[in-house]
Amino acid sequence: MSASLPIRRALISVSDKTGLLDFARFLADRGVDILSTGGSAKAMRDAGLTVTEVADHTGFPEMLDGRVKTLHPKIHGGLLGIRGNAVHEAAMAEHEIAPIDLLVVNLYPFEATVARGADFETCVENIDIGGPALIRGAAKNHDGVTVLVDVEDYAAVMAEMEAHNGATTLELRRRLAATAYARTGAYDAAISRWFAGQVGETFPRRVVVAGELRQGLRYGENPHQQAAFYAGGAARPGIATARQVQGKELSYNNLNDTDAAFELAAEFDRPAVAIIKHANPCGVSVGDDLVSAYRAALACDPVSAFGGIVAVNRRLDGATAAEIAHLFTEVVIAPDADDDAVAAFAAKKNLRLLLTGAMPDPAATGFTLRTVAGGQLFQTRDNGRIALSDLKVVTKRTPTEHELADLLFAFRVCKHVKSNAIVYAKDGATVGIGAGQMSRVDSSRIAAWKSREAAEAAGLSEPATVGSVVASDAFFPFADGLLAAAAAGATAVIQPGGSVRDAEVIAAADEAGLAMVFTGMRHFRH
């Protein structure tokens, strides 16, 4: 088979008609015979193009409400017959099967139908059968057939036909075949994932992960690693929905950290700011407005905040943006921004401003995925949330109302800190964070040490941990971590409980005059 394949006959059947008429005119101007069905045929015919209905080509009518129209030997034979193969060509001649050189198909909009909340029957009816069969057949026979499944590839085919006297090259056909199989694979993945949910299977026997390339990245976590960003799965406001208003290209680490920041900011109903560095928060606060929340978040660890990510859960205003602009910041992400905020960042050419259009729901269900050697670890999202009514007071002293508010705030932040995690908080703001240590007591000490450093840098007489509360993402296995928090000035503690030494830890809290509550819920984050 020659690497150059002239296109003389095309079959076009598309749900997404973007660019269809321009492409069809291009083919018609080069003498290509066009076969088509239903709405595609009508659209082209209404535009003055000559189109042969598939039913006229096969001599077999569409039937079963259009479910059967292209499932016919004259169609599949025209796609699958091997050009230059004497046996195939003889069979095609005997049965009057004309070769089809170009297939243009995009599938019934199943994913969009599910996304808009359609009922079960409507979703099932939008499962395409003939389309995937055509695509797979054409892609298999790519030596003799050009297959198009994405409107973005129309231009490439037209350019090749212009350059090669109406033909396409084998190199392009192979690339398009790979794209075609990826599309049918992603389509079937969406259907299987939806069907599993419909029958109540959280973890079905087989699971398929699919995504659409959103951005090629310069490199991964390190310059010697290749990377790309794919969007897929459930529609969730965040980096996959964001519009980049300004700034240079986002990196792998930017995307990872920005996602962590935005998910944390989404946890709170009040105006909230989260400042993230290396996927861990270095400052989080809620306030009456964003600008006061930002100042309090920054005060927790202004050194680490340099070159960090800032996420807010409200429309970004000019005053807050102006405050953020004082410090070198890699990315700012918000659901929206006013004109003053955009203007405040205009001089910061490297700062990326991302607007998502909405906030994600922290209580929504979903999955997280991590690869391991030879497989993947799936789990449901940590959408657990603790309310005041869930708390169990285990010490002689009951927390005050103010302490309770800070305890709930600190525990919510703790959910987004790498384990072992310790978070000190006061007045709705973090004042010390210890993350990712092998020992919980070390996290307590590091958080207190960082608070002392921040106090000295700010010229304060004492660290903000004095009079604070402290949260632990998991139980204290020994009293040492709790005593380290007491030594730092914490007055109340929130932790899951559940240790075999709970009684020992409670006794230590009582002796230190601490109030302590158990949540019964752990928030490990590895």
Side-chain angles (χ1 to χ4, degrees), residues 108-120 122-124 126-127 183 187 190-191 193-195 198 232-237 241:
Y108 288 174
F110 175 81
E111 297 100 327
T113 303
V114 171
R116 64 179 170 81
D119 59 36
F120 182 89
T122 302
C123 290
V124 169
N126 275 275
I127 296 175
R183 177 65 188 114
Y187 194 72
I191 295 168
R193 185 170 58 245
W194 172 80
F195 242 118
Q198 294 298 304
R236 184 172 178 82
T241 67

Side-chain angles (χ1 to χ4, degrees), residues 11 42 48 74 80 88 111 121 128 181 189 213 250 259 267 283 293 343 373 394 404 421 438 440 443 477 486:
L11 170 57
K42 182 178 185 304
K74 283 195 173 182
L80 283 165
H88 283 212
E111 297 100 327
E121 289 74 18
D128 203 323
Y181 280 122
L213 182 65
L250 289 156
D259 178 68
E267 289 281 359
V394 295
L404 285 168
M438 292 69 73
R440 192 162 298 277
S443 288

Side-chain angles (χ1 to χ4, degrees), residues 76-239:
H76 286 275
L79 292 170
L80 283 165
I82 299 175
R83 281 62 163 164
N85 181 303
V87 175
H88 283 212
E89 290 187 344
M92 293 172 74
E94 179 183 356
H95 297 286
E96 299 182 335
I97 296 174
I100 298 172
D101 309 306
L102 170 65
L103 176 72
V104 185
V105 170
N106 53 60
L107 305 173
Y108 288 174
F110 175 81
E111 297 100 327
T113 303
V114 171
R116 64 179 170 81
D119 59 36
F120 182 89
E121 289 74 18
T122 302
C123 290
V124 169
E125 203 56 39
N126 275 275
I127 296 175
D128 203 323
I129 301 301
L134 293 170
I135 291 169
R136 290 175 60 82
K140 176 175 181 175
N141 199 28
H142 61 268
D143 273 352
V145 182
T146 303
V147 56
L148 262 173
V149 297
D150 290 335
V151 297
E152 295 87 348
D153 290 323
Y154 286 175
V157 171
M158 289 190 288
E160 284 235 335
M161 290 179 67
E162 286 275 21
H164 298 280
N165 195 29
T168 60
T169 63
L170 181 58
E171 179 183 7
L172 177 64
R173 294 197 301 276
R174 285 183 174 171
R175 181 171 67 79
L176 292 174
T179 298
Y181 280 122
R183 177 65 188 114
T184 57
Y187 194 72
D188 284 340
I191 295 168
S192 66
R193 185 170 58 245
W194 172 80
F195 242 118
Q198 294 298 304
V199 299
E201 289 188 336
T202 303
F203 298 111
R205 182 180 303 170
R206 292 183 179 86
V207 64
V208 182
V209 179
E212 185 173 345
L213 182 65
R214 182 62 56 83
Q215 179 183 348
L217 304 173
R218 287 183 297 153
Y219 53 81
E221 284 184 287
N222 301 290
H224 63 276
Q225 294 173 267
Q226 295 179 306
F229 174 38
Y230 286 82
R236 184 172 178 82
I239 57 172

Side-chain angles (χ1 to χ4, degrees), residues 453-462:
E453 289 279 302
E456 291 174 8
L460 303 177
S461 59
E462 63 181 13

